[in-house]
Amino acid sequence: NAESWGMMRRTMSKMKLHEERMKAALKWLDQAAYPPQRPLTRQRLAALHTGQALSVNNAPSTQTNEPVLNPKKTAARLNPAKSEMSSLMDDQPGSAELVSGTVVSQTDGSTTSESHHFSEPKDRRKRPYVKVEVENEPLPSLLPSTTQSLVKKRVIKTKMEPGSMLPPPNWEEVWGRISNMRKKEVAPVDKWGAECTGEGPRDGKLYRFHVLISVMLSSQTKDEQTYAALSRLQKDNGCTPESIMNLPDDKLRDLLYGVGFHNNKTRYLKQTARIIHEKYDDDVPDTLEALLELPGVGPKMALIALNSGWKKTTGIPVDVHVHRISGRLGWVKTAATPEAARAQLEAWVPVDKWNQLNIMLVGFGQTICTPINPKCDKCEAQELCPVGRKTLPRVNRKKLKVEPNEEQAS
């Protein structure tokens, strides 16, 4: 229609105007960068290359006593980009040099000379070339080739040392009230936790292996499902490193049905069982670094396996419950990850209470301080919790305000 045709014509006219302005700007830039000089014809350029002078009629002259232009320098006038690249490749230091030459011409028997000056562009500094080499530590030769590529060494970085932070106010009273509530009600972790699933003596290899398998299956899985899956493994083949290593993948996957991410955990269990069987003589490693090298084992799992299997306390296991509740109570400040919360907790919690913290807060989070709709009305530490105080009536909030002492009032 007419409206669209008019819009198209206006657009084309704007584009044409823009193109003309761009051409004018480029022409002005060319003139500013390379000022106009006397044009060089082919005959004059050939004479300059051969070292001969030209007369007015462009005929070779016999007088060649005057210096002539260097052919290499003359090429800079005709092709500036090429000359700039050649100057970059040149080994000489690049300060701007002025090259002059003389062309002789005869007019009425008299000799006149014309000087031409060409400036060579400055040499650009090259960026330094830095070669980066990464050395990979060789993996143990005992591992098969299928598991070598999957073993990764993880390092836990704890920025705070124990005792480097002041404990929060009233933490001992809150601890006592939570412990009292845990004694009154049995949580799922008390019946189906990692310590309740192992077979054999508590200081034996089989018990430690069962604890490790239980914590590996517990991620993103309820304790009831973890206990049921481990019970199926124990009834089917005894759940030893050698039996799991030789178990077909399809059958192991069926036994782990109901566990979160059971396909990945099937692969991790077989790889971990092979490493423990071939490298550690069917026993779980007794160091945190060695446990973290096992496929599918994280910091929380390694700390629980050391605490329950080897009775070694090297840190506080922090899972989603401990991370959530410690943030609600104000025991940690702006901890975005469980490892950040663990570093802050270890900085002020006494070492003799590290073993109790995880099992206490996990059970408390399963029964009362749940992720959604926490039961603050049943919590004995409601008035001491920043989140619980918000659920109190306004009358009770005013009573909880601390009255100033006589010294502060004066």
Side-chain angles (χ1 to χ4, degrees):
N1 52 14
E3 185 178 356
S4 59
W5 176 250
M7 186 181 300
M8 186 182 302
R9 291 185 60 183
R10 287 193 297 271
T11 305
M12 293 176 65
S13 61
K14 289 181 181 179
M15 292 175 61
K16 187 175 181 180
L17 179 62
H18 179 70
E19 184 179 359
E20 292 177 355
R21 290 178 178 175
M22 288 294 295
K23 288 182 179 179
L26 292 175
K27 185 177 180 181
W28 181 84
L29 289 174
D30 286 340
Q31 292 178 357
Y34 304 101
Q37 299 180 7
R38 183 173 179 180
L40 293 175
T41 60
R42 289 187 178 181
Q43 294 178 355
R44 184 178 293 278
L45 183 61
L48 292 176
H49 276 281
T50 56
Q52 297 180 356
L54 293 178
S55 63
V56 179
N57 299 326
N58 291 334
S61 174
T62 57
Q63 299 182 9
T64 58
N65 296 330
E66 298 291 338
V68 296
L69 291 176
N70 190 350
K72 201 180 218 183
K73 308 294 183 180
T74 310
R77 172 67 180 86
L78 298 178
N79 195 348
K82 187 176 181 180
S83 67
E84 186 177 357
M85 292 299 297
S86 62
S87 65
L88 289 175
M89 300 299 293
D90 199 357
D91 295 333
Q92 298 179 357
S95 58
E97 300 179 357
L98 189 63
V99 182
S100 62
T102 305
V103 178
V104 181
S105 62
Q106 295 180 356
T107 305
D108 297 335
S110 61
T111 303
T112 60
S113 62
E114 300 174 0
S115 61
H116 298 261
H117 302 277
F118 304 100
S119 60
E120 209 171 282
K122 293 184 179 181
D123 189 8
R124 298 179 181 176
R125 292 185 180 181
K126 298 180 181 179
R127 294 184 178 178
Y129 176 74
V130 180
K131 186 177 181 180
V132 180
E133 296 182 357
V134 179
E135 296 182 359
N136 295 325
E137 297 182 0
L139 294 169
S141 58
L142 294 175
L143 301 180
S145 59
T146 56
T147 60
Q148 284 185 5
S149 60
L150 297 171
V151 177
K152 297 181 181 178
K153 186 176 181 180
R154 286 169 287 184
V155 180
I156 300 178
K157 297 182 179 179
T158 305
K159 298 181 180 179
M160 303 179 183
E161 297 181 358
S164 60
M165 285 181 59
L166 293 176
N170 301 329
W171 75 271
E172 293 182 347
E173 186 176 358
V174 175
W175 187 291
R177 295 188 182 186
I178 294 177
S179 300
N180 188 27
M181 287 185 287
R182 288 283 286 112
K183 294 177 183 178
K184 296 178 180 179
E185 188 174 358
V186 179
V189 68
D190 300 328
K191 298 183 294 183
W192 301 304
E195 296 181 354
C196 306
T197 54
E199 292 183 350
R202 292 298 179 102
D203 57 349
K205 295 182 180 180
L206 186 61
Y207 174 78
R208 287 192 287 265
F209 183 70
H210 287 179
V211 170
L212 179 62
I213 296 300
S214 178
V215 294
M216 290 179 65
L217 298 178
S218 64
S219 62
Q220 304 295 325
T221 308
K222 293 184 177 181
D223 293 333
E224 299 90 327
Q225 297 292 341
T226 303
Y227 183 82
L230 186 59
S231 300
R232 290 193 295 266
L233 287 174
Q234 293 170 352
K235 293 179 182 179
D236 184 77
N237 58 359
C239 192
T240 61
E242 187 175 2
S243 62
I244 290 182
M245 181 179 60
N246 299 326
L247 193 65
D249 294 349
D250 297 339
K251 188 174 182 180
L252 180 58
R253 192 179 296 108
D254 294 339
L255 292 174
L256 297 182
Y257 179 77
V259 176
F261 304 101
H262 61 279
N263 292 327
N264 295 335
K265 292 177 181 178
T266 299
R267 185 172 69 255
Y268 293 151
L269 286 183
K270 292 184 70 67
Q271 295 167 1
T272 300
R274 181 180 295 276
I275 294 173
I276 290 176
H277 176 70
E278 296 180 357
K279 188 176 179 181
Y280 298 102
D281 192 20
D282 291 341
D283 199 358
V284 176
D286 59 346
T287 61
L288 182 62
E289 291 76 12
L291 283 170
L292 290 176
E293 290 181 354
L294 299 177
V297 178
K300 181 206 73 172
M301 305 175 190
L303 292 172
I304 293 177
L306 285 177
N307 185 17
S308 301
W310 291 101
K311 307 303 178 184
K312 292 183 178 180
T313 303
T314 57
I316 300 176
V318 178
D319 60 354
V320 291
H321 296 287
V322 179
H323 187 198
R324 179 184 70 255
I325 297 173
S326 59
R328 287 178 177 177
L329 294 174
W331 288 0
V332 297
K333 300 178 181 179
T334 62
T337 60
E339 284 303 294
R342 184 177 74 89
Q344 296 185 30
L345 289 173
E346 291 177 358
W348 66 267
V349 175
V351 181
D352 58 345
K353 294 184 177 294
W354 284 9
N355 293 338
Q356 310 170 21
L357 181 63
N358 179 267
I359 191 71
M360 181 184 69
L361 292 187
V362 169
F364 181 61
Q366 292 176 344
T367 55
I368 296 178
C369 195
T370 54
I372 302 174
N373 298 327
K375 304 173 184 178
C376 296
D377 54 341
K378 297 182 180 180
C379 180
E380 299 178 5
Q382 183 181 11
E383 65 273 9
L384 300 177
C385 175
V387 178
R389 282 198 297 264
K390 296 179 181 179
T391 61
L392 292 172
R394 294 188 176 273
V395 178
N396 296 340
R397 292 187 200 177
K398 295 180 181 180
K399 294 181 180 180
L400 293 175
K401 291 184 179 180
V402 179
E403 297 180 357
N405 300 330
E406 296 178 0
E407 298 179 356
Q408 297 178 354
S410 59

